[in-house]
Amino acid sequence: MTQATTHEFKAETKQVLDIVVNSLYKDKEIFVRELISNASDALEKLRRTQLTEKNILDENLDLEINLNTDDSAKQLIIQDFGIGMTEEELKKNLGTIAHSGSKEFLEALKNDGEKNEALIGKFGVGFYSVFMVSDSVKVYTRTWQQKGEGLCWESDGSGGYSIEKADGQRRGTKIVIQLKDEFDEFAKEDRIKDIVKKYSAFVQFPVSVNGEKVNTIDAIWLRSKSDIKEEEYEEFYKFQSNDYEAPLMRLHFSADAPLEINSLLFVPKRNMEKMGMFRNENKVALHCRKVLIDAEPKSLFPEWLRFLRGVVDSSDIPLNVSRETMQDSELLRKLGQVLTKRFIKFLNEQAKKQEATYLEFWNEFGPLIKEGVATDFTYKDDLAKLLRFQSTASDDGKLTGLEDYIDRMATDQKEILFLYGKNRKSIESGPYLEALQARGYEVLLLTEPVDEYVMQSLREFKEKKILSADSDELKLEKLDEQQSGESLDKKAVNKLSKWIKESLKDRVSEVETGERLINSPVCVVGEDGMGGASARRIMKMMQGPEEDIPASKVKFQINPRHSIIHGLNKLMEKDEPTAILVANQLLDNALASANLLDDPREMIERSYQTLEKITAD
Ligand code: ADP
Ligand code: MG
């Protein structure tokens, strides 16, 4: 290639550029951080390449980053001797948004203008931030491969870019930034020094400004906790995870046995998955004595911890090991296990000591903890302590955990009880709570569809069985004094029950008098396990509401003290067809209360028939 070739930016790229340049960062200086971070990445890649490749261009160049300012020319130059780029790489890396999430990025920006700044780093649009402050940018680059050539990429950040040959380039990349007049502060040595000091403290390569070295290379995670200032932790987190906000929580943890570990783990403020855009990827970088082994080791932490950020350093990891062998090494698994256990312990401590922060965590990352409880047998029991639910023992909106629940359990209560419903009100107005409350039993109120599934997977906690309160496994003692009203006599109850069972034989498996009914006339109870009420709701949740799950028969409980049941008893003798309609209607109501009424159309049809009868008379 001798002549310059020109290229248009893709429409998408233009759009992103437009947003980045015009609205994204209020804090313009951040482009320096982005470029230093890219330079540092390029040096890191070279270091890794050196492990396996012999024939590297400019082998003796130091791995360092140099910044130069030219006040009078309003220029800032950032140079690294890293891996460099070929023409193809230039086009791909700087000409398109290589990240597959770019479309989602655009969508997210449109939908959520407020949180723009949180998004930028996560979608890899970092380089473009340079166009916030510049009229034109030249990227001189030369790949590490002997057969490559020197190139110059140039753009003003609007329509497109050009690439031409540039002789005399050394390995790596040199970015020459022609600053806009209003941003000429970034061509001043003192200003740049201040910025670099702030952001380069965590770069593992020397950084200099106008020939003077400004950073001390320092692995913050290897220092002792008492020497580290809060701001240092915060800046490190922001630098390392590309986040503009401070982290929500942090665990700085060291151990000597069974493995030598120094780790610094962070929980971000926000769960990006919750915004429904993309899946978090584990980004806890693996180091061995400060040297980066893998920035995103795939199997270090379990899936449900994919929101974690930070660094793990262990001198037990062999330095010269390929990523592939690393992935399935026993060592990595062990390291992951020790850290995961420690991190869960940390969360449990936080829950006790910093409740408000923990609840903030729960609010963002609760779904991932639930995922862990339901899918990860190894940590299930410890994770279960982290679960939080609403409960009849606390006010609306307040949450409680299983350990506290057990502490409060009534002496005669055997199981941990929960009820699922769309919201607290709908559970409270259902027929199941009354009997439990009359006995002083606390009930956890589950309102997320996944909660019931989580409880079913957990099955027990601290040797206490966990049961849905509408399950027939729950046996309740009689409570005569609480129940008011005259009961139908035994003979009448038997006759009525038999009649209902016969009349509703396609819909009910059994009819019985329920110990759980106090003020309600009827309810249904399900058998736990397959086919039970709880299992049906879970199937509905997983298959979606459109799917037809064949209705299974339920146990129908009637309250022989209730006036409606008295009424039905008489109606059965007087006007059987109407009595059948009423019995069906009662069952419909009971099913609706249990969130088991799949298709309201049949019920509506029946209720019209009933109304017709009443209004005709
Ligand atoms: P990210 O760093 O998140 O990948 P950027 O927009 O900051 O996104 O950079 C885009 C890509 O351009 C990088 O992934 C890298 O491949 C390439 N790149 C940027 N700066 C350099 C550099 N100094 N040396 C080599 N490659 C670079
Ligand atoms: Mg970058």
Side-chain angles (χ1 to χ4, degrees):
M1 184 178 63
T2 47
Q3 281 215 308
T5 56
T6 58
H7 309 264
E8 277 280 293
F9 283 123
K10 294 245 164 68
E12 252 176 28
T13 313
K14 280 187 197 163
Q15 234 173 319
V16 170
L17 261 166
D18 194 49
I19 294 162
V20 170
V21 171
N22 293 315
S23 62
L24 217 42
Y25 287 133
K26 288 176 213 80
D27 214 0
K28 303 287 177 195
E29 69 173 44
I30 234 145
F31 84 94
V32 180
R33 182 183 80 183
E34 292 296 329
L35 296 186
I36 289 181
S37 137
N38 285 351
S40 163
D41 289 350
L43 289 169
E44 197 57 62
K45 284 178 195 157
L46 188 82
R47 180 149 68 185
R48 290 200 62 81
T49 310
Q50 280 173 329
L51 293 176
T52 51
E53 297 287 337
K54 289 263 141 9
N55 209 2
I56 287 178
L57 183 80
D58 289 340
E59 184 72 68
N60 299 323
L61 274 180
D62 288 333
L63 297 188
E64 58 183 32
I65 302 168
N66 299 313
L67 285 85
N68 283 284
T69 57
D70 185 338
D71 201 357
S72 56
K74 292 179 185 153
Q75 274 188 356
L76 172 66
I77 298 170
I78 300 183
Q79 176 164 37
D80 66 72
F81 297 129
I83 198 153
M85 284 177 270
T86 62
E87 187 182 356
E88 211 168 294
E89 285 165 344
L90 262 181
K91 285 183 191 160
K92 181 166 154 277
N93 297 338
L94 304 186
T96 66
I97 304 163
H99 202 290
S100 61
S102 54
K103 281 225 170 66
E104 286 95 326
F105 170 68
L106 286 170
E107 281 304 305
L109 282 173
K110 279 178 209 146
N111 298 339
D112 205 359
E114 279 294 286
K115 289 172 192 146
N116 281 350
E117 294 172 45
L119 300 173
I120 189 162
K122 319 216 173 206
F123 286 91
V125 290
F127 170 77
Y128 295 131
S129 62
V130 72
F131 290 108
M132 295 187 301
V133 295
S134 53
D135 280 330
S136 94
V137 175
K138 284 187 178 142
V139 178
Y140 294 93
T141 188
R142 172 75 171 84
T143 170
W144 64 274
Q145 298 167 71
Q146 295 286 357
K147 62 175 196 297
E149 58 184 347
L151 298 164
C152 177
W153 177 100
E154 184 176 1
S155 174
D156 64 0
S158 56
Y161 60 92
S162 68
I163 297 180
E164 71 183 317
K165 207 169 156 179
D167 288 332
Q169 293 306 308
R170 287 191 290 178
R171 184 193 70 215
T173 304
K174 183 170 85 178
I175 303 178
V176 180
I177 302 156
Q178 189 61 51
L179 294 159
K180 290 187 164 105
D181 288 345
E182 65 265 43
F183 296 119
D184 60 359
E185 64 190 281
F186 298 115
K188 295 200 165 42
E189 175 171 315
D190 289 348
R191 177 82 166 103
I192 288 297
K193 264 191 186 154
D194 283 348
I195 301 174
V196 172
K197 270 184 198 140
K198 186 154 123 199
Y199 293 127
S200 63
F202 317 109
V203 176
Q204 300 302 301
F205 301 97
V207 182
S208 62
V209 174
N210 296 343
E212 190 188 330
K213 191 155 166 275
V214 279
N215 68 331
T216 45
I217 298 172
D218 146 66
I220 182 173
W221 59 92
L222 295 180
R223 279 163 52 192
S224 94
K225 280 182 232 181
S226 50
D227 294 346
I228 306 173
K229 291 199 212 77
E230 198 57 41
E231 303 88 75
E232 288 182 275
Y233 277 125
E234 193 176 313
E235 285 304 331
F236 173 71
Y237 166 76
K238 287 182 179 171
F239 182 85
Q240 211 254 349
S241 6
N242 242 319
D243 199 343
Y244 84 113
E245 282 182 308
L248 181 66
M249 291 174 172
R250 148 191 106 229
L251 170 64
H252 190 167
F253 163 68
S254 304
D256 294 321
L259 290 165
E260 199 267 351
I261 299 173
N262 287 288
S263 69
L264 187 47
L265 301 176
F266 296 99
V267 177
K269 273 224 170 76
R270 292 171 213 272
N271 179 6
M272 302 300 280
E273 273 181 36
K274 236 180 67 177
M275 296 165 75
M277 285 183 303
F278 64 102
R279 199 176 156 83
N280 288 319
E281 304 251 353
N282 195 332
K283 289 217 175 89
V284 178
L286 191 62
H287 286 69
C288 169
R289 296 201 185 94
K290 292 190 190 180
V291 177
L292 181 68
I293 303 293
D294 193 342
E296 298 175 19
K298 289 284 167 288
S299 47
L300 183 58
F301 284 103
E303 271 288 290
W304 50 268
L305 272 178
R306 57 187 177 269
F307 57 87
L308 271 186
R309 300 289 177 260
V311 175
V312 172
D313 193 317
S314 172
S315 51
D316 293 319
I317 296 168
L319 247 185
N320 199 348
V321 56
S322 80
R323 278 183 200 208
E324 289 66 37
T325 27
M326 212 42 228
Q327 291 307 328
D328 43 38
S329 89
E330 184 54 32
L331 186 68
L332 201 63
R333 238 187 316 276
K334 232 165 133 190
L335 193 59
Q337 245 170 39
V338 173
L339 286 163
T340 303
K341 278 227 173 79
R342 182 63 187 85
F343 184 70
I344 297 175
K345 191 174 149 212
F346 163 77
L347 287 177
N348 272 306
E349 288 162 3
Q350 292 286 304
K352 294 201 175 82
K353 285 191 281 191
Q354 310 273 349
E355 206 195 352
T357 311
Y358 180 75
L359 289 175
E360 227 180 293
F361 166 83
W362 176 252
N363 193 26
E364 286 293 308
F365 299 99
L368 285 152
I369 299 298
K370 290 176 191 170
E371 183 182 317
V373 173
T375 61
D376 196 336
F377 194 76
T378 324
Y379 304 106
K380 192 162 105 169
D381 293 337
D382 286 330
L383 275 176
K385 296 180 196 155
L386 294 169
L387 295 170
R388 293 293 179 273
F389 301 107
Q390 294 214 48
S391 155
T392 50
S394 44
D395 297 339
D396 194 6
K398 286 244 170 61
L399 302 178
T400 188
L402 293 173
E403 283 183 316
D404 287 346
Y405 180 100
I406 288 186
D407 287 346
R408 284 188 298 260
M409 263 166 89
T411 40
D412 62 332
Q413 187 184 346
K414 294 186 194 66
E415 294 98 352
I416 297 173
L417 301 173
F418 69 83
L419 275 170
Y420 166 76
K422 290 190 182 66
N423 50 49
R424 187 179 177 118
K425 272 229 158 62
S426 97
I427 305 173
E428 282 173 344
S429 62
Y432 299 106
L433 269 186
E434 52 195 38
L436 303 164
Q437 283 184 316
R439 288 164 177 82
Y441 293 178
E442 177 178 349
V443 180
L444 296 171
L445 307 172
L446 278 45
T447 50
E448 297 289 328
V450 73
D451 287 348
E452 194 161 29
Y453 176 66
V454 170
M455 289 305 222
Q456 295 289 0
S457 331
L458 191 57
R459 299 217 81 93
E460 55 174 55
F461 180 76
K462 295 207 166 156
E463 287 160 24
K464 301 250 185 290
K465 205 162 179 179
I466 300 175
L467 269 189
S468 174
D470 63 358
S471 143
D472 75 340
E473 272 186 67
L474 174 64
K475 303 290 179 242
L476 295 174
E477 302 291 321
K478 243 190 154 66
L479 249 198
D480 285 326
E481 67 280 11
Q482 297 263 351
Q483 296 174 327
S484 58
E486 185 79 16
S487 177
L488 289 175
D489 65 41
K490 225 181 166 147
K491 238 176 92 191
V493 171
N494 280 342
K495 192 174 169 207
L496 178 63
S497 299
K498 249 175 109 178
W499 175 83
I500 294 176
K501 191 178 171 190
E502 185 52 35
S503 310
L504 303 178
K505 64 172 177 290
D506 296 333
R507 304 182 70 200
V508 304
S509 61
E510 250 170 87
V511 178
E512 55 193 24
T513 55
E515 293 305 336
R516 25 189 118 208
L517 292 166
I518 295 175
N519 298 316
S520 304
V522 289
C523 72
V524 295
V525 294
E527 297 134 62
D528 267 345
M530 288 325 284
S534 203
R536 265 181 65 74
R537 281 189 297 262
I538 290 168
M539 270 165 70
K540 263 176 81 174
M541 173 191 83
M542 298 208 273
Q543 303 188 344
E546 314 80 38
E547 223 77 30
D548 257 358
I549 303 156
S552 58
K553 292 184 186 177
V554 289
K555 280 191 192 175
F556 194 33
Q557 294 201 340
I558 57 173
N559 181 356
R561 289 179 173 77
H562 201 282
S563 56
I564 292 181
I565 299 300
H566 282 257
L568 182 63
N569 191 42
K570 284 185 204 132
L571 197 62
M572 160 181 91
E573 308 287 355
K574 248 182 25 205
D575 175 0
E576 197 175 14
T578 308
I580 291 174
L581 279 174
V582 171
N584 267 297
Q585 185 71 48
L586 282 170
L587 177 57
D588 287 335
N589 290 3
L591 287 169
S593 298
N595 284 300
L596 284 173
L597 193 71
D598 296 336
D599 184 359
R601 275 172 304 187
E602 277 181 47
M603 168 186 124
I604 291 167
E605 187 55 37
R606 270 192 294 271
S607 81
Y608 282 149
Q609 289 176 34
T610 319
L611 291 173
E612 225 167 88
K613 275 208 183 290
I614 299 168
T615 47
D617 291 344

